[in-house]
Amino acid sequence: MTGRRPDGYHLLQTWMQFLDWGDRMLFRTNRKGMIQRHDEHPYTLPAADLSIRAAEVLRQAAGRPELGADITLEKRVPPGTGLGGGSSNAATTLLVLNRLWQLHLSAAQLRDLGRGLGADVPVFLHGASAWAEGTGDLLTTMCPPAGWVAVALPGVAVSTESIFSDPGLRRDHPPVAVRDYTAGLTGNDLEAVTFQRHPEVAAAHRCLSQFGPARMSGTGSAVFVPLPTREAAEQVIGQLPDGMTGLAARRLNRSPLQDWMPEPES
């Protein structure tokens, strides 16, 4: 954290990369003006679902109240893990319905809508791995090394709001350069607060640190360690202690949503 604005938003520096793993979504459009989700699962109620909010914001921006959508969400990313599941769903909804509803909003217009939905939404609309600054919306495209990660899921949900509001959070870290991050000379200022509040996350970090430079994803609770191959990542996941789940995933520098992006502005 490099500072805090008068309106309460935190200023940060972070690196964001995609995984070839996440939630799955199915869209069907309707002309009844109804936006609704049809699945049932214990994670996110439809009223609090960012995908529903994204669809409503998009329809309102287009001034087309007759447009509707039936959204089915297969939830795989547990909330409270810092893996951006809800933000990715919101960006997916904006991109897919922009095309299915034939609205032809530009990439810039969609990014403006995304900022109002959440700080992590812009990177999914950016479409490429990025170094993020400001509140997370100032993005510089990066191409870090390819490879895999082993991700440990301690089984606890971390409230982002509670971590950012904690008085013990460091908010005056001097700005760093991208080369400092890629050289492994930086850390996650959020870890100390999350580890104190959630010992399970600290335990996951200690476990993965045996295999490389482990880091917490965002505010947690997920912890990951970069590895060169799928086999290496799966081997680490196989050694997680009882009560802790995990997954092996490929690191991507190009978003799986890239093909849904609007044509670049000329």
Side-chain angles (χ1 to χ4, degrees):
M1 297 293 109
T2 59
R4 193 175 190 178
R5 301 192 320 195
D7 60 7
Y9 280 91
H10 286 79
L11 301 176
L12 53 81
Q13 291 181 302
T14 188
W15 164 56
M16 298 183 178
Q17 192 174 31
F18 306 106
L19 300 179
D20 67 344
W21 172 85
D23 297 340
R24 295 173 178 169
M25 304 183 75
L26 174 67
F27 296 85
R28 291 188 177 92
T29 61
N30 65 66
R31 295 280 174 169
K32 302 176 183 178
M34 299 177 62
I35 296 174
Q36 53 191 348
R37 221 183 66 202
H38 294 277
D39 54 287
E40 294 183 4
H41 54 72
Y43 289 134
T44 306
L45 297 176
D49 192 339
L50 275 180
S51 61
I52 299 297
R53 288 176 54 196
E56 292 173 343
V57 165
L58 181 64
R59 180 175 65 178
Q60 182 176 2
R64 299 282 301 278
E66 80 281 5
L67 296 176
D70 300 287
I71 303 173
T72 302
L73 173 64
E74 180 185 339
K75 191 67 178 167
R76 303 170 73 198
V77 182
T81 54
L83 293 173
S87 296
S88 175
N89 294 345
T92 300
T93 300
L94 291 175
L95 292 168
V96 171
L97 291 183
N98 184 48
R99 181 177 299 184
L100 296 183
W101 285 344
Q102 300 181 19
L103 301 179
H104 308 293
L105 270 65
S106 68
Q109 289 173 305
L110 293 179
R111 286 194 295 269
D112 286 342
L113 295 179
R115 288 188 189 96
L117 292 166
D120 292 339
V121 178
V123 72
F124 291 101
L125 296 169
H126 180 69
S129 293
W131 177 253
E133 298 182 274
T135 60
D137 60 340
L138 302 178
L139 304 172
T140 302
T141 300
M142 289 178 59
C143 291
W148 289 74
V149 288
V151 182
L153 301 171
V156 296
V158 174
S159 165
T160 298
E161 182 180 357
S162 70
I163 300 302
F164 276 104
S165 62
D166 192 294
L169 177 64
R170 182 177 181 182
R171 298 177 172 87
D172 61 350
H173 200 119
V176 300
V178 174
R179 64 178 178 272
D180 297 324
Y181 183 92
T182 56
L185 302 177
T186 63
N188 185 339
D189 289 332
L190 303 168
E191 287 181 349
V193 174
T194 300
F195 290 173
Q196 183 177 27
R197 285 172 168 262
H198 301 280
E200 304 94 332
V201 183
H205 187 272
R206 288 194 300 271
C207 179
L208 290 193
S209 292
Q210 302 174 72
F211 308 100
R215 297 198 179 191
M216 192 175 69
S217 181
T219 56
S221 60
V223 178
F224 67 93
V225 61
L227 293 160
T229 65
R230 176 177 181 175
E231 290 74 19
E234 290 179 340
Q235 187 175 37
V236 169
I237 296 305
Q239 299 182 57
L240 294 178
D242 293 342
M244 188 180 301
T245 62
L247 62 116
R250 186 191 299 273
R251 298 157 61 185
L252 303 175
N253 289 327
R254 183 177 181 269
S255 169
L257 301 175
Q258 190 73 45
D259 292 339
W260 290 88
M261 303 285 177
E263 292 294 327
E265 296 95 330
S266 56

